[in-house]
Amino acid sequence: MTTIMVVTMIALLLLGFPMMIPLITAAVIGFYMMFNGFGQMDTLIQQMMAGIRPASLIAVPMFILAADIMTRGQSAERLINMVMSFIGHVKGGLAVSTAASCTLFGAVSGSTQATVVAVGSPLRPRMLKAGYSDSFTLALIINASDIAFLIPPSIGMIIYGVISGTSIGELFIAGIGPGLLILLMFSTYCVLYAVIRDVPTEAKASWKERMSAVRLALWPLGFPVIIVGGIYGGIFSPTEAAAACVLYAILLEFVVFRSLKVNHIYAIAKSTGLITAVVFILVAVGNGFSWIISFAQIPQAILEAVGVNEAGPTGVLIAICISFFVACMFVDPIVVILVLTPIFAPAIAATGLDPVLVGILITLQVAIGSATPPFGCDIFTAIAIFKRPYWEIIRGTPPFIFMLILAAALLIMFPQIALFLRDVAFR
């Protein structure tokens, strides 16, 4: 049965069907083979509906809506200008500013693809004009956008938290340390690249210009304060923080900045609705698929076949990292989280691993895979936005992928990189 389900999924993917079709087809085939017919098909439908029932998932469309409002408004531009005013003049400063802007916007949107659009669109022309190669620029943008998956809020963390029953608030706080570590690694590489290539620096901003940029960015900087401060201070749950972010974004862009007008609401709502529909369909179908494979005890069989059940905690973490990294090179990150998390759940429970640490590692691997050839989703977002060929997009990615893998290795060796802030906030 397992072979037939896998072959069906691969065949439909190669034929170009959207991911939801291979998933539901494989689930229906597995259901038919297990129950010898479709007589109890309502059970599968109930499992699919159960996948989108958790209240925590309400945060997903909320964060998507907030990110859409800010991307179309002035928030992203103001954050970028603030970062540029402080470090744009140092060697490699423009590249470092790009990475830092991705981190800041990640603390606003929670979406790698939104970050590619919001940060990449204004900064790529400036980097090319400054003397950076296009391959380096594109690779920096799509890989630095991965930090958005780790810095709260993170849509990937929300999905993992719902599937695994892990506290989303703890996951959000735990993602800050690894996100800042990756920003430091990327910034170091950017400085070295600029020094080796002798990339010219930009004019140094005066303190008056810096203070003006900070003043303009104060309102957008309220987003991470609402999310992290609200959750840490016990004021909001993650879902309530998402709703507060939407209200704050509306007030900011429609009332304070007046960058958007009432006639923009339809386009924003339509865009958010389409993205949310895709996400929720994937979650529902993925939950049905996960129920089928769990009911058939396929996870136990797979883990036993590869020897994970006999591995210690470190071995399980390495197996998780490899599996999620490879899977996200080919499949949508949300689907990978939905399908693979239940497979590894028995091994995680048996070895006593902290589910928050596991969630951060899974989120990191999903982020890496999203920017890794051949089919990382951020690659195709960059192709669509920047109108550049596939090989030019991926040519500069290897050094960044290496740094991300190194960050994962450091997390396995030193879990407190992720867990320290979590322990301070929740223990």
Side-chain angles (χ1 to χ4, degrees), residues 65-76:
L65 176 58
D68 206 347
I69 293 171
M70 289 178 287
T71 303
R72 294 169 187 261
Q74 295 181 4
S75 295

Side-chain angles (χ1 to χ4, degrees), residues 88-111:
H89 65 282
V90 302
K91 204 69 171 176
L94 182 56
V96 175
S97 297
T98 301
S101 298
C102 287
T103 304
L104 274 177
F105 195 75
V108 169
S109 70
S111 167

Side-chain angles (χ1 to χ4, degrees), residues 75 103 130 172 188 193 204 215 218 264 268 310 339 427:
S75 295
T103 304
F172 278 3
T188 303
Y193 178 94
K204 185 177 181 179
R215 180 177 56 81
L218 282 177
H264 290 107
I268 293 171
E310 286 74 37
V339 173
R427 295 291 187 267

Side-chain angles (χ1 to χ4, degrees), residues 27 32 39 79 93 112-113 151 190 207 261 272 282-283 285 305 326 333 393 401 409:
Y32 179 85
L79 289 172
T112 60
Q113 290 162 297
I151 296 290
C190 289
W207 277 105
K261 298 181 180 179
T272 300
L282 287 174
V283 171
V285 173
V326 173
I393 294 286
I401 294 171

Side-chain angles (χ1 to χ4, degrees), residues 13 44 48 59 72 75 91 111 139 141 203 205 214 226 246 275 281 290 316 324 329-330 345 370 400 417 427:
L13 280 172
L44 178 60
M48 291 172 61
R72 294 169 187 261
S75 295
K91 204 69 171 176
S111 167
I141 291 169
V214 170
I226 290 172
V246 172
I275 297 171
I281 290 171
S290 299
V316 172
F324 277 83
M329 291 166 62
F330 300 92
S370 299
F400 294 99
I417 294 174
R427 295 291 187 267

Side-chain angles (χ1 to χ4, degrees), residues 25-358:
T25 304
V28 169
I29 289 173
F31 185 91
Y32 179 85
M33 296 179 70
M34 277 197 306
F35 295 99
N36 297 317
F38 298 118
Q40 304 177 48
M41 194 65 182
D42 58 325
T43 306
L44 178 60
I45 296 173
Q46 289 171 2
Q47 292 298 324
M48 291 172 61
M49 295 304 296
I52 57 174
R53 194 169 294 140
S56 302
L57 284 176
I58 297 173
V60 173
M62 293 287 186
F63 282 127
I64 293 172
L65 176 58
D68 206 347
I69 293 171
M70 289 178 287
T71 303
R72 294 169 187 261
Q74 295 181 4
S75 295
E77 182 182 352
R78 291 183 180 219
L79 289 172
I80 291 170
N81 289 338
M82 182 192 71
V83 174
M84 282 293 302
S85 69
F86 280 91
I87 56 178
H89 65 282
V90 302
K91 204 69 171 176
L94 182 56
V96 175
S97 297
T98 301
S101 298
C102 287
T103 304
L104 274 177
F105 195 75
V108 169
S109 70
S111 167
T112 60
Q113 290 162 297
T115 305
V116 169
V117 177
V119 178
S121 297
L123 283 183
R124 176 173 169 263
R126 293 178 66 168
M127 289 188 66
L128 295 178
K129 185 178 179 180
Y132 293 92
S133 70
D134 204 11
S135 60
F136 171 84
T137 301
L138 292 168
L140 173 63
I141 291 169
I142 64 173
N143 284 279
S145 296
D146 292 343
I147 303 174
F149 243 131
L150 289 164
I151 296 290
S154 165
I155 293 173
M157 288 181 186
I158 295 171
I159 301 298
Y160 169 81
V162 170
I163 296 298
S164 65
T166 306
S167 166
I168 296 173
E170 291 189 24
L171 287 167
F172 278 3
I173 299 299
I176 296 174
L180 295 178
L181 171 65
I182 294 170
L183 172 61
L184 177 62
M185 295 169 73
F186 281 10
S187 299
T188 303
Y189 175 66
C190 289
V191 172
L192 292 174
Y193 178 94
V195 170
I196 294 171
R197 299 294 182 95
D198 194 24
V199 177
T201 58
E202 295 203 348
K204 185 177 181 179
S206 66
W207 277 105
K208 182 179 179 181
E209 291 171 327
R210 289 174 179 175
M211 291 303 101
S212 174
V214 170
R215 180 177 56 81
L216 292 173
L218 282 177
W219 285 105
L221 286 172
F223 286 100
V225 173
I226 290 172
I227 297 166
V228 179
I231 295 172
Y232 177 85
I235 302 171
F236 298 131
S237 69
T239 305
E240 291 165 344
C245 276
V246 172
L247 177 61
Y248 190 66
I250 291 172
L251 291 174
L252 222 56
E253 301 296 351
F254 284 89
V255 180
V256 179
F257 298 158
R258 297 184 181 179
S259 57
L260 298 176
K261 298 181 180 179
V262 175
N263 58 1
H264 290 107
I265 294 176
Y266 175 77
I268 293 171
K270 181 181 178 181
S271 172
T272 300
L274 289 172
I275 297 171
T276 301
V278 171
V279 171
F280 273 61
I281 290 171
L282 287 174
V283 171
V285 173
N287 195 70
F289 181 85
S290 299
W291 176 75
I292 291 291
I293 63 174
S294 299
F295 192 87
Q297 295 190 326
I298 293 173
Q300 291 85 340
I302 293 175
L303 296 178
E304 186 176 341
V306 298
V308 173
N309 285 332
E310 286 74 37
T314 302
V316 172
L317 289 177
I318 292 173
I320 288 173
C321 288
I322 294 173
S323 300
F324 277 83
F325 171 64
V326 173
C328 283
M329 291 166 62
F330 300 92
V331 183
D332 185 271
I334 292 175
V335 175
V336 173
I337 294 173
L338 290 167
V339 173
L340 291 188
T341 300
I343 290 178
F344 282 99
I348 294 169
T351 52
L353 287 167
D354 190 320
V356 172
L357 174 63
V358 174

